[in-house]
Amino acid sequence: MFRLNLKIALRNLWRNRGITAINVGGLAIALAAFILVTMYFTYETSFDKSNPNYKNVYVVGVSYPEFKTNYIAAPFAKAIKQTYPEVESVGLIKEGSFELTIKNGKNTLFTKNILAVDYNAAKILNIQPENGLTKPSGEVERLNYLSKESMQTLFPDKKDNKPEMVGYGASNSGITVVVAGSIRSNEHSNFVFDGISLAAELGEHDNYDMNDYSIFLKLKPNVNVANLEKKITDLYRYELLKNNTSKKSTAELKAISTFLDPLSNLHLRPKAGNDMPYKTLIALSVLGFLILVIACINFTNLSIAQAANRAKEVGVKKVMGAYRSQLTLQFLTEIFIQCFVATILALILAELVLPYFNNLFQVGLSIWQVDSDLIWQLPLILSLITLIAGIYPAMVLSGFKPALVLKGNFSTSKQNSWLRNGLLVFQFCIAVVFIIGLLIINSQLKYMRSQDVGFNSSQVVYIKNLTLFNNPVKFGSVSFNPVRDRLLKIPGIKSATVASFIPGGQNGINSYEVNASKANIDFVNVDFDYFETLDIKLKEGRFFLNTFKTDTINSAIINESAVAKYSIKNPVGQTIRGCGIDYKIVGVIKDFKTQGFESIVQPTIYTIKDPCGSYKTQILLKIEENKMADALAALKAQWPQINPKDGEDFRYEFLDELYGKLFKKQEQLQSVFFAAALLTIFIAILGLFAFAKYITNGRIKEIAVRKILGASDVQIFKLINSSFFIMVLIANVISWPIAYILTKKWLETFAYRIDLPAMPFVSSALITILLTVITVSIQAKKAVKANPVDALKYE
Amino acid sequence: MIRIENLEKVYKTEEVETTALNGINLHVKEGEFVSIMGPSGCGKSTLLNVMGLLDKPESGSYKFIDTELLTLNDRERSNFRKRNMGFVFQNFNLIDELTVFENIELPLIYNKIPTAERKKLVNEIIERMNIVNRSGHFPQQLSGGQQQRVAVARALVTKPKLVLADEPTGNLDSSHGNEVMELLCELNETGTTIVMVTHSSHDASFSNRIINLKDGHVISEKINKSRNEELI
């Protein structure tokens, strides 16, 4: 029986091969998208899952009134370990705060992140050097490991895993360090590094004012986390009070609490951060699922449309004694075979698209992995789509009454056509939502690109640098003035400055007081010419000037938001107090968007002198456009003299490119929506194409009769198009409010955004209607052009 | 062999109720060839469908030999049908995707006959129906008469006790129609009971007994003397 059913199925598919190809092809494309999304979802939700402690690891975070952070003081780790027996072990890690140059002879390596970890943290976080994890002891204070790739760069011919000597910094620095071996950095982890600096203990000399570390806990199984969280908060307040270094009042302490964030949250939705990545991932998954549903709807729709052709077969088989269950199974098998073929095609497609996908999402996914979750996910997906696409048609087809269908004048009932139309409308609804979404994302991105951000990042070169240019001199820092003088001698360099933070990155936060009102605001430590280099607009007062002696002692410039925050009237000349200094406000600048468009401009203070500030290492140069290449070449040549500490390692980036990274997420979203909109509309149109073909085929006799009775071609085109036209119109009307709500929500994630435009709604309607009319008309043309006599003779 | 008593069947739509069968009583003896005639809408097709277990009446009794069929559930009806009945339709109802051989084979498959025996039975009937050189063809490649021969072959291959024919010549020209009627007569002569619905008194003349229906009633019954004499 299976053999005969298979023959019937194959011959049927072959007879309708055009439609079969559309159906299977459409499904394959959608499945490919779904497979990619599934792989991405699995990847994103399984960061650090290979860690055997995965379920019991928590990071200790601190919640301040203004923000939450995972940075905390090192001594607290010991306090937790000593107080709570349910904590099995406590580890400390600290990210590298600056870029490091490592050399072996001519081979140079620039590391971005050397992670400092203590022995316990390495154990908790499953950080394993190639030659095993050993605790530094005796003379050896730190064991340094470099990632395999880094080792390869420094020692291309190295085969063994023996320790090696390397130089730190410029070749004239004279610092040498032993690298104990290599370590594999797991890209699929929250802890990605170029190297590890392993210590027996970290932060032994730190106090409770130095929030530089992250504390990781490994809890014993079945610990009540909420309870422990409360206890740790109490302990933290107690320790702060006991070691009262920053003299916080009881009220201030009460406002501070700690939280435990599981390792599984860190990648997508850390409590000290935002859950945008998680939301994006969910949105992406929903998107992938919807595309698949659309393709399945095509299947359902066409199978039901084809029902009339299969009705006779069902009737005959039933007359011969086939059970309904046998027939249901037969149709499900047929659809399963098609879905199976689609799955194979989808895998091939996914493999072809994967490089672009990996590039877009900055991941390294691969389909052909033995340990891949796809091995169990694919059969599941296959069964799922077979059921979604097949169960309804199988029930409808197998439910035909033989006494009715064998009479030969069978037509599918009205109820089916309602369902078919409903499904078609649903497909177009989704397509319309995606089109509107895409158009609105485009508008917002266009706005972001064209909008004045308040400063000019073009032709600004950012130079990476190790020398500290703080003023007054601290921790061996030097004055920037001689460096600036040398830089300005290079033709093309218009201005040079140094600052602690650059636009596009995070600023520091500290407490400042104006007229007895205290607030935590952003601070940036700058040097002369900072505002000039970035072309920031002055609102009142003046910029920092060499001619004013006080500027390097106690002058401050604040932005408009800071003026508003403290509600200062006539700010210039007033005093703002912070870090034990009474700063005199000498100027107010207009707000500029250092953080892009998503967050509102923060109240910010700019000072040259700041004992509590950060290291000034970020050199910014404004260079004339047509002399850019020459100036960069000259900089590279002269850098060892200008900045001996970096020596020959001259590295730079263009500020506009750095700042542009803030738009990367939106551009990613734009690409995804572009692909999704294209896919949904394509698959929906494919379905429509095949569907229209069936409808016109079914109406050939009607069309012939109408033509004989004198209908013109145009009238017949209108007749066939009208029902589809109405359906697409309904789909548009239904999706408008949905798209409105969704896009509005998305726009609300931006502090600076466009007003929701009406145009995308109109455009989506025009696009879908136009595509529908074209698609249907292509089908209708055949029926219209056919000789009516042929159609009628057939009876 | 068949005893039908007080059969009633009503078709309901939203607006109207149509009584298709209104207290039909009908007895068919084993080996008989019965024709059912009557104007369009008189209920003859409905009666045939009920006899073929394709439709359920509201009330009445339908005994086949000694089994009451109207109390069976769907699965039992399917089982009974495939073991005891064969069908011939006006529009042939061959499956377009299957060859002549495969079409005829189909009922045997549903009766779970082993492959080797299936092959033997199909070949026998193909030979008997004189369509040997057509066995690999698809229905569309055959003339109407040939298609109906295949349909008859398919109805007979399971050796049913009862063959139900719904206007078997309705889509055929007179010479092909006669061929099919002769085929049914031959079959009847080998002992198969046949019930046929027809519009054509010519076709009806091949049967032993003609039953006339109108508005769901049996209005007359006529023994076909010429045929019966022939038999004797």
Side-chain angles (χ1 to χ4, degrees):
Chain A
M1 179 151 60
F2 181 75
R3 189 177 55 87
L4 273 200
N5 282 344
L6 191 71
K7 269 189 191 172
I8 294 178
L10 290 180
R11 284 169 189 163
N12 231 314
L13 294 178
W14 181 245
R15 201 148 52 113
N16 302 310
R17 53 192 170 274
I19 283 166
T20 307
I22 287 174
N23 227 352
V24 173
L27 188 62
I29 293 169
L31 249 176
F34 189 70
I35 288 173
L36 289 179
V37 169
T38 307
M39 281 168 62
Y40 184 64
F41 185 88
T42 312
Y43 180 80
E44 285 289 298
T45 50
S46 60
F47 267 67
D48 277 315
K49 239 184 183 161
S50 59
N51 184 344
N53 306 321
Y54 184 67
K55 290 205 170 93
N56 297 319
V57 177
Y58 293 81
V59 65
V60 182
V62 187
S63 172
Y64 295 99
E66 285 94 355
F67 61 98
K68 288 177 172 176
T69 176
N70 286 341
Y71 291 108
I72 196 165
F76 191 49
K78 229 175 215 156
I80 293 175
K81 177 71 190 135
Q82 282 163 0
T83 318
Y84 301 114
E86 58 264 57
V87 178
E88 195 178 305
S89 65
V90 181
L92 281 168
I93 70 169
K94 183 184 185 181
E95 283 156 28
S97 50
F98 47 83
E99 297 192 4
L100 192 62
T101 322
I102 302 178
K103 287 196 169 70
N104 170 42
K106 287 243 175 302
N107 298 326
T108 308
L109 175 76
F110 303 110
T111 64
K112 287 206 171 66
N113 185 17
I114 300 284
L115 200 63
V117 297
D118 69 2
Y119 180 69
N120 281 336
K123 264 173 52 182
I124 293 172
L125 301 176
N126 199 29
I127 294 170
Q128 294 273 4
E130 299 270 299
N131 46 13
L133 184 63
T134 42
K135 195 168 183 170
S137 59
E139 296 266 298
V140 188
E141 208 174 294
R142 295 275 183 116
L143 282 170
N144 296 299
Y145 299 93
L146 286 177
S147 69
K148 270 198 118 132
E149 300 75 28
S150 306
M151 274 309 240
Q152 200 66 40
T153 316
L154 288 177
F155 303 97
D157 304 323
K158 192 170 165 68
K159 297 277 185 293
D160 58 10
N161 205 3
K162 287 202 181 105
E164 296 280 356
M165 204 72 141
V166 295
Y168 269 22
S171 46
N172 56 4
S173 75
I175 307 168
T176 56
V177 170
V178 175
V179 175
S182 63
I183 183 166
R184 203 177 65 87
S185 173
N186 180 5
E187 293 296 319
H188 197 184
S189 157
N190 290 293
F191 311 96
V192 184
F193 43 77
D194 300 309
I196 286 285
S197 175
L198 180 71
E201 267 183 81
L202 280 174
E204 295 123 303
H205 309 298
D206 277 23
N207 64 40
Y208 271 88
D209 267 348
M210 301 157 97
N211 294 319
D212 295 332
Y213 286 87
S214 296
I215 299 178
F216 283 87
L217 306 182
K218 186 187 170 197
L219 304 185
K220 289 181 178 155
N222 308 321
V223 169
N224 183 338
V225 175
N227 202 0
L228 182 65
E229 215 166 31
K230 257 188 229 134
K231 288 198 285 186
I232 289 180
T233 294
D234 292 341
L235 179 69
Y236 189 60
R237 287 175 186 160
Y238 170 77
E239 291 286 329
L240 285 184
L241 199 65
K242 199 175 76 181
N243 303 281
N244 197 356
T245 37
S246 60
K247 302 189 177 53
K248 283 191 161 63
S249 67
T250 329
E252 278 176 288
L253 281 180
K254 272 258 155 43
I256 298 172
S257 62
T258 64
F259 55 86
L260 295 179
D261 205 8
L263 185 56
S264 52
N265 273 2
L266 277 197
H267 179 60
L268 290 170
R269 40 177 176 172
K271 286 180 186 166
N274 66 47
D275 60 352
M276 252 337 253
Y278 184 72
K279 281 186 184 155
T280 310
L281 182 68
I282 295 297
L284 195 66
S285 311
V286 170
L287 220 137
F289 186 70
L290 281 180
I291 290 175
L292 188 64
V293 166
I294 292 189
C296 286
I297 286 177
N298 272 355
F299 236 101
T300 308
N301 228 340
L302 280 176
S303 305
I304 298 175
Q306 283 191 64
N309 292 4
R310 306 297 297 272
K312 188 171 78 177
E313 179 192 332
V314 173
V316 169
K317 283 184 170 171
K318 279 196 167 177
V319 163
M320 287 170 191
Y323 307 130
R324 181 169 183 182
S325 56
Q326 284 174 316
L327 293 170
T328 311
L329 196 69
Q330 181 203 332
F331 287 117
L332 273 181
T333 312
E334 258 177 50
I335 287 166
F336 174 80
I337 292 169
Q338 294 180 63
C339 291
F340 184 76
V341 173
T343 309
I344 303 288
L345 288 176
L347 277 175
I348 297 170
L349 266 177
E351 176 72 14
L352 292 176
V353 179
L354 200 58
Y356 304 98
F357 186 88
N358 279 340
N359 188 26
L360 179 63
F361 287 95
Q362 300 291 307
V363 289
L365 302 180
S366 144
I367 294 179
W368 315 110
Q369 267 177 324
V370 187
D371 62 341
S372 157
D373 283 322
L374 269 186
I375 286 174
W376 62 268
Q377 284 167 340
L378 260 190
L380 206 70
I381 294 171
L382 183 58
S383 325
L384 184 77
I385 54 170
T386 305
L387 282 181
I388 300 181
I391 198 79
Y392 186 76
M395 294 313 286
V396 169
L397 283 166
S398 65
F400 284 142
K401 299 252 177 306
L404 285 177
V405 297
L406 292 179
K407 271 295 171 193
N409 50 5
F410 173 78
S411 64
T412 30
S413 68
K414 195 129 196 172
Q415 187 209 340
N416 281 342
S417 81
W418 260 107
L419 183 89
R420 281 189 327 224
N421 295 345
L423 289 175
L424 204 70
V425 168
F426 179 69
Q427 280 184 311
F428 271 88
C429 278
I430 298 174
V432 168
V433 170
F434 283 144
I435 293 173
I436 294 175
L438 175 67
L439 293 175
I440 286 174
I441 291 173
N442 278 349
S443 314
Q444 172 70 12
L445 276 174
K446 207 167 146 198
Y447 164 83
M448 282 160 59
R449 289 200 192 99
S450 62
Q451 186 69 9
D452 183 19
V453 292
F455 73 105
N456 188 356
S457 60
S458 62
Q459 287 109 50
V460 176
V461 171
Y462 153 59
I463 301 174
K464 299 177 177 184
N465 158 60
L466 286 174
T467 312
L468 314 176
F469 294 109
N470 281 52
N471 192 326
V473 172
K474 84 169 186 183
F475 304 126
S477 65
V478 297
S479 168
F480 188 64
N481 289 340
V483 176
R484 178 188 293 112
D485 292 344
R486 292 209 56 161
L487 286 170
L488 290 179
K489 281 193 187 121
I490 296 173
I493 297 184
K494 290 201 280 194
S495 65
T497 189
V498 66
S500 54
F501 310 107
I502 55 167
Q506 288 288 338
N507 294 334
I509 300 177
N510 245 330
S511 175
Y512 290 87
E513 194 178 339
V514 179
N515 298 332
S517 87
K518 223 176 177 182
N520 283 327
I521 64 169
D522 280 18
F523 72 85
V524 180
N525 305 125
V526 301
D527 209 287
F528 295 110
D529 289 343
Y530 177 80
F531 302 100
E532 290 85 344
T533 304
L534 291 173
D535 211 356
I536 293 163
K537 310 283 177 301
L538 186 68
K539 201 180 166 208
E540 50 184 303
R542 61 173 176 84
F543 291 141
F544 294 125
L545 282 174
N546 246 329
T547 45
F548 287 85
K549 285 242 161 81
T550 48
D551 279 5
T552 51
I553 299 167
N554 68 344
S555 291
I557 290 175
I558 59 174
N559 66 1
E560 290 170 303
S561 297
V563 172
K565 175 101 183 175
Y566 292 108
S567 34
I568 321 172
K569 281 181 194 129
N570 305 318
V572 174
Q574 302 232 32
T575 305
I576 179 164
R577 184 178 171 76
C579 198
I581 295 179
D582 284 325
Y583 289 104
K584 203 176 123 206
I585 299 170
V586 297
V588 175
I589 54 158
K590 290 195 164 171
D591 283 348
F592 70 101
K593 301 185 177 71
T594 54
Q595 293 299 310
F597 286 74
E598 280 171 76
S599 41
I600 201 121
V601 174
Q602 293 300 312
T604 312
I605 178 168
Y606 300 85
T607 57
I608 295 181
K609 179 181 173 182
D610 185 0
C612 301
S614 293
Y615 301 131
K616 284 195 251 178
T617 56
Q618 328 270 31
I619 299 173
L620 296 169
L621 306 176
K622 180 85 172 179
I623 302 179
E624 280 173 54
E625 190 171 13
N626 50 5
K627 291 187 184 152
M628 181 66 80
D630 292 341
L632 285 173
L635 276 168
K636 186 166 173 54
Q638 297 179 28
W639 200 245
Q641 289 93 54
I642 297 172
N643 185 0
K645 202 155 188 187
D646 270 314
E648 63 275 25
D649 308 320
F650 174 71
R651 284 166 298 139
Y652 67 93
E653 279 182 64
F654 292 103
L655 190 64
D656 47 1
E657 284 173 15
L658 267 180
Y659 188 70
K661 281 184 184 159
L662 289 177
F663 300 106
K664 191 157 178 64
K665 216 167 61 191
Q666 267 66 45
E667 280 159 3
Q668 211 179 51
L669 196 69
Q670 189 187 26
S671 308
V672 168
F673 254 74
F674 183 70
L678 215 63
L679 267 184
T680 44
I681 190 78
F682 176 69
I683 294 171
I685 290 289
L686 269 189
L688 183 70
F689 185 80
F691 190 46
K693 184 172 181 169
Y694 258 101
I695 295 290
T696 35
N697 276 353
R699 293 176 81 170
I700 275 183
K701 192 172 120 195
E702 177 198 339
I703 292 165
V705 172
R706 281 175 191 267
K707 272 179 87 171
I708 287 169
L709 296 179
S712 71
D713 286 2
V714 177
Q715 281 171 321
I716 288 176
F717 271 122
K718 262 195 203 158
L719 174 81
I720 297 175
N721 265 307
S722 61
S723 63
F724 290 104
F725 180 82
I726 289 168
M727 280 192 271
V728 173
L729 211 58
I730 292 173
N732 270 287
V733 171
I734 293 175
S735 15
W736 283 343
I738 300 169
Y740 176 80
I741 293 166
L742 291 178
T743 50
K744 201 166 178 293
K745 275 224 146 120
W746 179 72
L747 282 176
E748 276 164 7
T749 63
F750 291 91
Y752 306 96
R753 56 180 180 252
I754 49 169
D755 295 325
L756 200 64
M759 206 46 209
F761 293 85
V762 180
S763 310
S764 77
L766 289 178
I767 292 170
T768 45
I769 288 172
L770 189 72
L771 284 173
T772 304
V773 170
I774 292 173
T775 311
V776 175
S777 296
I778 289 172
Q779 291 300 345
K781 196 175 150 219
K782 283 181 213 150
V784 170
K785 293 289 167 214
N787 185 352
V789 178
D790 291 336
L792 292 180
K793 201 166 63 183
Y794 206 52
E795 272 300 288
Chain B
M1 182 165 75
I2 294 171
R3 293 182 82 82
I4 287 175
E5 261 141 33
N6 287 324
L7 211 57
E8 299 216 9
K9 170 81 191 168
V10 181
Y11 286 114
K12 284 181 193 145
T13 58
E14 274 164 40
E15 292 98 32
V16 281
E17 276 191 11
T18 322
T19 308
L21 301 177
N22 195 355
I24 297 266
N25 292 300
L26 177 69
H27 299 222
V28 179
K29 284 191 244 88
E30 194 160 0
E32 224 182 347
F33 186 167
V34 179
S35 291
I36 301 172
M37 294 190 74
S40 291
C42 69
K44 53 188 191 300
S45 282
T46 306
L47 178 60
L48 200 75
N49 285 338
V50 169
M51 291 176 81
L53 300 177
L54 297 177
D55 216 342
K56 267 186 171 170
E58 263 67 46
S59 63
S61 150
Y62 174 16
K63 277 196 172 138
F64 194 99
I65 308 181
D66 282 322
T67 322
E68 173 59 57
L69 296 185
L70 295 185
T71 54
L72 302 181
N73 66 26
D74 276 353
R75 191 165 264 260
E76 289 163 339
R77 283 150 70 94
S78 285
N79 285 336
F80 191 87
R81 188 164 59 225
K82 72 183 171 196
R83 284 185 204 124
N84 298 299
M85 296 173 183
F87 288 81
V88 180
F89 300 95
Q90 174 178 4
N91 46 2
F92 324 136
N93 281 327
L94 298 174
I95 295 179
D96 298 332
E97 286 76 24
L98 295 181
T99 63
V100 166
F101 187 97
E102 288 160 349
N103 261 297
I104 299 173
E105 192 185 11
L106 204 55
L108 295 175
I109 293 173
Y110 285 113
N111 272 309
K112 298 205 167 72
I113 310 287
T115 317
E117 198 184 338
R118 268 201 325 252
K119 212 172 161 195
K120 197 182 112 222
L121 286 170
V122 175
N123 280 330
E124 264 174 33
I125 199 109
I126 279 179
E127 213 164 303
R128 200 169 129 204
M129 292 291 154
N130 211 7
I131 44 177
V132 177
N133 52 354
R134 298 285 182 199
S135 77
H137 289 199
F138 288 95
Q140 302 95 308
Q141 298 166 318
L142 306 179
S143 72
Q146 285 166 332
Q147 285 190 47
Q148 194 62 303
R149 294 176 87 90
V150 176
V152 172
R154 186 180 63 181
L156 297 184
V157 73
T158 54
K159 304 202 167 84
K161 296 193 179 76
L162 172 68
V163 168
L164 299 166
D166 193 352
E167 299 197 39
T169 64
N171 280 9
L172 300 175
D173 61 41
S174 57
S175 75
H176 281 122
N178 270 338
E179 257 179 52
V180 169
M181 285 319 297
E182 277 158 19
L183 208 59
L184 289 178
C185 279
E186 278 174 38
L187 186 66
N188 179 235
E189 278 154 24
T190 59
T192 310
T193 314
I194 298 177
V195 177
M196 174 177 77
V197 163
T198 183
H199 271 300
S200 142
S201 41
H202 172 72
D203 288 356
S205 68
F206 288 87
S207 59
N208 311 125
R209 187 154 59 109
I210 300 163
I211 290 164
N212 265 304
L213 289 192
K214 198 182 174 191
D215 297 335
H217 294 282
V218 178
I219 51 166
S220 68
E221 242 189 277
K222 193 171 82 186
I223 305 292
N224 189 351
K225 279 179 187 148
S226 57
R227 167 95 165 119
N228 284 340
E229 275 161 15
E230 229 176 79
L231 271 180
I232 295 159

